[in-house]
Amino acid sequence: MIKGLSKLEVITLFFEDLPAGKAFYQDVFGLEVVYENEDSAVVRLDNLMINLLDVAKAPELVAPAQVGGAGAGVRALHTIEVADADAVCGELADHGVPLLNGPVDRPWGRRTAAFADPGGNVWEVAQILNA
């Protein structure tokens, strides 16, 4: 095990349409932009920052690996713990955000639902069910 790999600070998500990504995180998540330039906007959750990056600038961050295309399929799932998954799903619907699935009770003790942002990045809300 490599020491020091225990604190996730920033997730960088790539967007073909950066203004749409920024609007999504401001409107749906209610996040404040803490840094912005022509190529990116950084928003902050309580314990994590999300860097919304224009996909044209992504290759320099991941080279020599290739940046996956927008329609290539899901590459990651980001899970947010919530107190009431059904209530959050209602709020997502109020914001015009369609669910990919759920809410559904999972065998591992969570009630989950998944949705995607405009860049195709998939998020999951997860309510801990009482055992």
Side-chain angles (χ1 to χ4, degrees):
M1 179 168 122
I2 300 172
K3 293 181 182 183
L5 295 180
S6 63
K7 183 179 178 184
L8 186 58
E9 180 188 17
V10 179
I11 294 172
T12 298
L13 305 176
F14 307 143
F15 286 88
E16 281 74 19
D17 184 346
L18 182 59
K22 177 182 163 189
F24 181 89
Y25 284 93
Q26 288 178 307
D27 183 42
V28 175
F29 281 65
L31 299 178
E32 176 185 347
V33 174
V34 296
Y35 172 81
E36 184 172 16
N37 65 24
E38 65 184 29
D39 300 320
S40 69
V42 178
V43 295
R44 180 184 297 276
L45 296 167
D46 288 342
N47 60 338
L48 176 76
M49 289 181 288
I50 304 171
N51 178 28
L52 313 173
L53 183 68
D54 185 312
V55 71
K57 298 298 180 177
E60 66 189 74
L61 296 178
V62 299
Q66 299 294 311
V67 175
V74 177
R75 296 164 290 198
L77 176 67
H78 311 290
T79 301
I80 299 172
E81 182 182 322
V82 298
D84 184 339
D86 293 284
V88 172
C89 289
E91 291 184 46
L92 289 167
D94 290 345
H95 282 87
V97 179
L99 297 178
L100 298 172
N101 61 58
V104 62
D105 292 347
R106 302 292 187 177
W108 51 89
R110 302 289 187 271
R111 182 163 179 77
T112 71
F115 61 97
D117 69 16
N121 301 291
V122 179
W123 288 87
E124 174 186 66
V125 293
Q127 173 186 343
I128 299 172
L129 299 174
N130 295 331

